[in-house]
């Protein structure tokens, strides 16, 4: 019999109820797995669990984007990597929505286990993996500064509330040098976004993203006024990034970003605070991480499946 370990975050979102775990266990067992559930107890626990468990046929993340990020991190530290799956139970669930999941956890589990194993790119920032987005600057501190109790209480609206408060704060602009595709650029930027995703912060920024083409999307916002930044972000939702004024956009497999001064704020990585604090950040792709996902969006998100 195949083996599965479900690592779940009991504090994710509104919908993960411990009493339902027996229902989810029964579903997984119907697909031929012997399954065990392990709840996380502190930040970083999911990473430790997947890093230290023995070999199993499948590790399933049941939590938010941050929980899945930890599981990917732990898996990439193993000598023998495991096949991963992700069942979204968070506040925003960008990764889950991108992969084709809805809000019904039981249905999501069935769709996942009826899906295919796909090899997927995972970018790394200074060696630290992220599943779908790393960002710095205006508004990018909100995901990790939004209080957990507020997210539990009002869900995604908590980020919007915090964003409105941040909007009226002065915009800090950063002198940055970056090297990409043999090109060296210097400028002043209000935020930087590096992603491998169609959906970020609940919005569909990019229309055509492939998760196994050995590239990620990079944009730098040159606007410094708050209203201009908002207009640029609105345009990103409605138009291709390369056609938005005030945005420098690239697709690349590697980029080196250097700040003129060590910034006080931290990068945001998959909704969590990046503890690495440097003036220089190098971002590269890690290829061929195996993920079990629903069939629904495979043709749209992957090439040469």
């Amino acid at each position: 019999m195949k083996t599965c370990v479900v690592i779940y975050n009991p504090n994710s979102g509104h919908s993960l109820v411990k009493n339902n775990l027996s229902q989810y266990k029964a579903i997984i067992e119907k697909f031929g797995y012997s399954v065990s559930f392990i709840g996380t107890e502190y930040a970083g626990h999911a990473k430790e669990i997947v890093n230290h468990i023995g070999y199993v046929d499948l590790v399933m993340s049941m939590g938010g984007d941050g929980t899945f990020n930890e599981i990917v991190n732990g898996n990439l530290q193993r000598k023998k990597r495991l096949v991963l799956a992700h069942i979204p139970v968070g506040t925003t669930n960008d990764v889950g929505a991108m992969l084709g999941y809805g809000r019904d956890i039981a249905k999501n589990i069935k769709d996942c286990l009826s899906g295919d194993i796909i090899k997927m790119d995972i970018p790394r920032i200074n060696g630290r993996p992220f599943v779908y987005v790393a960002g710095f600057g205006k508004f990018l501190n909100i995901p990790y500064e939004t209080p957990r109790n507020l997210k539990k209480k009002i869900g995604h609206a908590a980020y919007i509330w915090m964003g409105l408060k941040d909007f009226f704060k002065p915009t800090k602009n950063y002198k940055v040098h970056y090297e990409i595709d043999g090109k060296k650029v210097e400028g002043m930027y209000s935020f930087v976004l590096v992603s491998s995703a169609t959906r970020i912060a609940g919005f569909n920024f990019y229309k055509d993203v492939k998760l196994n083409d050995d590239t990620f999307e990079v944009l730098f916002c040159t606007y410094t006024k708050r209203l201009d930044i908002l207009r640029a972000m609105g345009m990103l939702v409605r138009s291709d990034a390369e056609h938005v004024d005030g945005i420098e956009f690239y697709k690349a497999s590697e980029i080196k970003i250097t700040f003129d001064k060590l910034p006080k704020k931290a990068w945001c990585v998959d909704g969590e605070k990046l503890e690495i604090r440097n003036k220089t950040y190098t971002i590269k792709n890690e290829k061929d991480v195996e993920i079990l996902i629903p069939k629904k969006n495979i043709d749209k998100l992957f090439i040469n499946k």
Side-chain angles (χ1 to χ4, degrees), residues 240-256:
D240 292 333
E242 58 264 43
H243 300 137
V244 176
D245 289 341
I247 296 294
E248 296 170 7
F249 174 79
Y250 305 89
K251 290 178 74 74
S253 58
E254 182 175 348
I255 184 171
K256 182 178 180 181

Side-chain angles (χ1 to χ4, degrees), residues 119-122 195-197 208-217 251-253 285-288 301-304:
K119 291 183 177 180
M120 176 174 164
D121 297 338
I122 299 292
S195 62
S196 182
D208 184 25
V209 170
K210 303 301 180 187
L211 304 185
N212 64 340
D213 63 354
D214 195 27
T215 66
F216 44 75
E217 285 65 43
K251 290 178 74 74
S253 58
N285 254 335
E286 174 89 23
K287 291 179 62 64
D288 298 340
L301 294 173
F302 295 87
I303 56 175
N304 301 324

Side-chain angles (χ1 to χ4, degrees), residues 225-294:
K225 295 181 180 179
R226 292 191 292 265
L227 285 176
D228 289 335
I229 294 170
L230 274 187
R231 290 191 191 100
M233 295 179 74
M235 285 294 294
L236 282 171
V237 177
R238 300 191 299 272
S239 179
D240 292 333
E242 58 264 43
H243 300 137
V244 176
D245 289 341
I247 296 294
E248 296 170 7
F249 174 79
Y250 305 89
K251 290 178 74 74
S253 58
E254 182 175 348
I255 184 171
K256 182 178 180 181
I257 300 172
T258 301
F259 291 85
D260 190 54
K261 297 179 180 178
L262 185 67
K264 292 182 180 180
K265 289 286 186 180
W267 281 70
C268 178
V269 175
D270 289 347
E272 304 296 330
K273 184 177 182 179
L274 179 66
E275 298 300 337
I276 301 169
R277 303 294 296 276
N278 294 325
K279 288 176 68 175
T280 298
Y281 296 85
T282 300
I283 302 166
K284 299 180 181 179
N285 254 335
E286 174 89 23
K287 291 179 62 64
D288 298 340
V289 176
E290 291 189 316
I291 311 287
L292 176 63
I293 64 172

